[in-house]
Amino acid sequence: WGMVAKCGEGGEDVRRRHGGDGLVAMVQTRNGESDQVALLVVGSSEGPTALTNLPGGTVTSPRLSPSGERVLFTWEKVAGHGLLHIVGTCGDAAPVRATALDGDRYVELSGDWLYDESAIVLDYVDRARDGDEAVVRIGIYDMESAKLHELVPSPPGSSNFFPRWSPDGAQILFLSDRAGYHPDFHLYDFQAGEAKPLPHLPPLVHFPAGNRPSYDPASPRSFVYQEDREIHGVTLVRIDPAPFESEEKDGVEWLFSTRSQYEGAVPVDLLLSQCVPSPRGDGRFCCKHIDEHGTHALALVDSQGSVMGDLTPRSQTSTFHSPHWQL
């Protein structure tokens, strides 16, 4: 579990091939075929390369390790039962389980790396503890000791989910529905040893699958997410938690909005979704884009929401989605 050969220990070191704009890990979905984890060297003419050859199931939430040598992802081989896996970015090793947790007891939904890759934070369901209630909990899994401990207890009838570790490892951002139907952002601070909600944020009307929060290198400890503010589209939002802690100013910045694509009067998909910021902090984003012809691609988008160019080939039968971009 978790032991994947790092680049340089067999296979080409992918970091030597990229030209400074980093790597994008993604999911590739083809009609009638299994999901696969793919990797793109930004600026390369080679296009995405499949890192896995999974025999079936669904792949979600790929996350590049800080070293760029491994990708953490969830493989739902059996419907409703996802488990975290790791695959090397050199493309010379099969994926392995990321944890040594009992695969019959735990459902592992998604995870994120600590900066030194010694631990991961994950949201999970403990069937032995909660039975059929499907309470989602957040825990930290230590890679050396293979031990899991719950970070923040989930109040009865509520769940904590979508954890993101801050780049410096000092905080964990997550969503919780403990306050009611709409989930709210919370920050767990390791120095304080407690989690606090971020107050006065606009409520999340709906949180589309794949539009999970991402830390933004453009501003320390700020993060971006896409919020459904109306039925016709979503708005990309940057949140800086510091002003909410000091109550000195508003920490919400509205970046750009995107409308829905329609079939008749029914919105079926967003023209821009799953946007993640450039690791350069230069105002660019990698987003899933659907054009007027219904073709899908991951595209470079500027801070105004204008498409600058495609990162992956366009297709109506094969989609690249759920990107994670880092140097």
Side-chain angles (χ1 to χ4, degrees):
W1 52 267
M3 299 304 293
V4 173
K6 293 185 177 181
C7 295
E9 299 174 4
E12 182 182 1
D13 188 340
V14 73
R15 292 173 299 172
R16 296 175 186 166
R17 293 191 285 121
H18 72 75
D21 264 346
L23 309 171
V24 176
M26 65 194 76
V27 178
Q28 183 176 12
T29 300
R30 291 191 178 104
N31 288 351
E33 298 184 20
S34 304
D35 286 355
Q36 304 298 337
V37 179
L39 185 74
L40 174 73
V41 180
V42 179
S44 168
S45 59
E46 298 177 9
T49 301
L51 298 179
T52 60
N53 186 24
L54 302 173
T58 303
V59 172
T60 57
S61 307
R63 301 290 293 178
L64 279 157
S65 66
S67 67
E69 296 174 333
R70 297 183 286 180
V71 179
L72 177 70
F73 65 97
T74 304
W75 181 25
E76 193 173 306
K77 185 177 180 180
V78 178
H81 197 121
L83 294 172
L84 286 171
H85 285 70
I86 294 173
V87 66
T89 56
C90 299
D92 61 343
V96 298
R97 281 282 309 277
T99 76
L101 301 176
D102 185 343
D104 293 324
R105 172 177 174 176
Y106 291 94
V107 179
E108 300 166 353
L109 303 176
S110 67
D112 196 20
W113 300 91
L114 179 59
Y115 65 89
D116 63 0
E117 304 180 26
S118 64
I120 57 177
V121 60
L122 68 151
D123 49 354
Y124 63 94
V125 174
D126 185 344
R127 289 175 165 174
R129 181 176 178 180
D130 300 311
D132 296 328
E133 293 186 24
V135 173
V136 181
R137 303 179 183 276
I138 289 178
I140 293 178
Y141 181 84
D142 182 81
M143 302 295 280
E144 182 176 357
S145 67
K147 299 295 184 182
L148 173 71
H149 74 269
E150 187 175 7
L151 181 70
V152 182
S154 294
S158 66
S159 291
N160 301 319
F161 47 96
F162 293 174
R164 288 288 181 261
W165 222 316
S166 64
D168 60 4
Q171 296 179 326
I172 289 177
L173 170 73
F174 65 96
L175 281 160
S176 178
D177 61 4
R178 65 186 62 192
Y181 175 73
H182 297 303
D184 294 313
F185 284 110
H186 289 65
L187 273 176
Y188 181 89
D189 186 278
F190 283 93
Q191 185 173 1
E194 62 179 353
K196 293 183 178 181
L198 294 180
H200 314 305
L201 293 185
L204 295 170
V205 178
H206 176 57
F207 208 80
N211 290 335
R212 304 183 179 192
S214 297
Y215 274 96
D216 186 359
S219 178
R221 291 195 179 178
S222 67
F223 61 93
V224 298
Y225 74 100
Q226 284 185 280
E227 177 191 338
D228 278 1
R229 294 184 57 78
E230 54 183 334
I231 193 171
H232 302 298
V234 300
T235 299
L236 189 68
V237 184
R238 179 185 287 121
I239 303 294
D240 182 358
F244 294 100
E245 297 169 359
S246 64
E247 299 185 357
E248 293 179 358
K249 60 175 182 171
D250 187 2
V252 179
E253 179 184 359
W254 308 104
L255 298 177
F256 59 81
S257 297
T258 180
R259 67 185 189 279
S260 296
Q261 184 184 51
Y262 280 77
E263 287 183 2
V266 180
V268 294
D269 216 336
L270 296 168
L271 300 184
L272 288 175
S273 62
Q274 303 178 4
C275 295
V276 294
S278 161
R280 290 291 182 192
D282 54 14
R284 296 179 301 164
F285 296 86
C286 172
C287 303
K288 178 183 174 184
H289 178 243
I290 303 176
D291 65 12
E292 64 274 15
H293 304 294
T295 62
H296 297 243
L298 291 182
L300 275 179
V301 177
D302 66 18
S303 60
Q304 305 301 312
S306 299
V307 175
M308 303 168 65
D310 292 340
L311 292 172
T312 64
R314 288 202 165 270
S315 175
Q316 291 181 322
T317 59
S318 176
T319 62
F320 295 96
H321 56 92
S322 307
H324 179 221
W325 186 4
Q326 74 170 43
L327 294 176

